[in-house]
Amino acid sequence: MFEIFILLAKYLFIIYMCLFLLCGFCINLSKEGAVNAKESFLAAVQRIMIMLFHITAFIILVIDNDEQRMVTLLFGLISLLYVMLGCILLEKIYKKSSPVMYNGVFFLADIGLVMLTRLDNSLASKQFIWCLLGFAVLILLPPVLNMLPRLDKFKVVYAAVGILLLMCTLVFGSSVYGSTNWIKIGPIAFQPSEVVKLLFVFFLASALSQKPDLRQLIVPTIVSGVIILCLVGQKDLGSALIFSMTFLVVVYIATSNILYLIGGFACGSLAAVAAYFLFPHVQTRVDIWLDPWSDIEGSGYQIAQSLFAVGSYGLFGSGFTRGYADYIPVVERDFIFSAICEEFGVLFGIGVILVFVMIFLEGVRAALYSRSRYLTLLSAGLTALITFQTFLIIGGDIKFVPLTGVTLPFVSYGGTSIAISFVIVAIIQWVYMRNDIYKQDKTPEEYTPHPVEEPIPSRRRRRRRSME
């Protein structure tokens, strides 16, 4: 009977995902005036799908876990309460924020908790604590940002603190999986590069908030180059690539000059070739990417197992808890997407990608409808960070690009990564609320971009104009 339920659950999970995505994209289409939809109702349906997914998954986990059945049941109930209250409280407290974005975040976080519970209960418990911290950030950060002075006035602070953190990592950092990008203080370990992500985007948005010319790009480029070189020195090439692509996106949006984008890609390509010849582990990863089968029991084992996981059980998967995710090394960090595809099916995996697409669209909307260039660049940079990180890890899992070892936002195990991902979403939601971009059931005609804030001329300049 239990095996029949697992077989039925394979299709239920697909249904939950499809309905969640359908509601999300209907809300997006209604904002563009393409359909007429009751957005508050659709957002409520999304929350119901998250809860049904959670309940179905934990029924299987509780029955399948004979040794720790009560512990799994208790954890399932507590995490269900977290998801229910999280979605509902955010909707009630922040009515001008984007329910599509935080529904997507909670769904991804719940998928991560479910998979980690299936892999290792202790990791799931630690992840849950970080998710609680992330929820606190979503609640507290927007009003805190409203109380702060103008954030675009601290570009020197952002740059100095970011470089200092990376320098400290180079000197005092610990090496994990070949990258010296962790700092340990007693029992606590964190990745400074995750914190520097935020500082980096805040710096770029501040430095480029007034449309820059070529001369005004020199200092931001030098600072960005120093930060990226520090990451290269730590052998954290995945983060270095994410920072580089984010820099190009923000510069292109700030200047509207396609030549900067083309030149940046050309320089990035040369840097990638140089990294291949300078770093042996980069050569290994590229060789594995090109042909993992030549050393399937050695260096190619990890990516080969990932490909087996993604491709072995087809569209609907092996059934939750019936796969072989434990065979993939570091599955909870680097290859959790492969484990999802194996047990929930490739269709569900595509659904996970589309949830990230929904979050991306909400981030783009925040950038497009912001009142000022600074908020536009801030939203665009943060959205680019999550987008490129998601692309790199999913692309690495399916052998589309070489594996870089970054985490899948909101899903993979990783405390610092989870916390910073929630901070990014909280800042984008703050942009929504600050600009009153997203209002429940607003008519499409009311969604027109806000005018860009122009600097108010000083008294001396006004007097000079009047004399002229």
Side-chain angles (χ1 to χ4, degrees), residues 75-86:
F75 181 73
L77 292 174
I78 293 174
S79 52
L80 176 63
L81 184 64
Y82 159 75
V83 172
M84 291 172 59
L85 290 179

Side-chain angles (χ1 to χ4, degrees), residues 72-145:
T72 305
L73 176 61
L74 181 61
F75 181 73
L77 292 174
I78 293 174
S79 52
L80 176 63
L81 184 64
Y82 159 75
V83 172
M84 291 172 59
L85 290 179
C87 292
I88 294 172
L89 282 177
L90 284 174
E91 183 190 30
K92 298 299 182 183
I93 296 174
Y94 300 132
K95 296 182 179 180
K96 296 179 181 179
S97 63
S98 167
V100 175
M101 177 170 280
Y102 58 67
N103 282 349
V105 167
F106 275 104
F107 196 16
L108 292 172
D110 194 56
I111 292 171
L113 288 173
V114 165
M115 281 305 304
L116 289 173
T117 304
R118 181 257 183 275
L119 295 169
D120 187 334
N121 278 333
S122 62
L123 294 182
S125 300
K126 294 177 182 178
Q127 185 86 335
F128 181 66
I129 294 173
W130 285 104
C131 287
L132 287 176
L133 178 62
F135 174 68
V137 167
L138 282 175
I139 292 290
L140 299 176
L141 189 57
V144 169
L145 290 175

Side-chain angles (χ1 to χ4, degrees), residues 331-347:
V331 63
E332 70 280 357
R333 294 179 185 270
D334 294 354
F335 290 96
I336 198 165
F337 180 76
S338 303
I340 290 170
C341 289
E342 180 179 13
E343 299 196 350
F344 290 100
V346 172
L347 281 179

Side-chain angles (χ1 to χ4, degrees), residues 21-36:
L21 292 171
L22 179 62
C23 292
F25 284 112
C26 283
I27 292 175
N28 269 284
L29 290 173
S30 70
K31 296 303 176 187
E32 302 302 325
V35 298
N36 186 14

Side-chain angles (χ1 to χ4, degrees), residues 20 26 103 134 155 173 179 307 330 342 362 405 419 445 448:
F20 181 90
C26 283
N103 282 349
K155 60 183 177 183
S179 299
L307 294 175
V330 204
E342 180 179 13
E362 292 299 294
E445 291 77 10
T448 54

Side-chain angles (χ1 to χ4, degrees), residues 152-163:
D152 58 340
K153 299 300 182 182
F154 302 100
K155 60 183 177 183
V156 176
V157 176
Y158 302 140
V161 174
I163 293 173

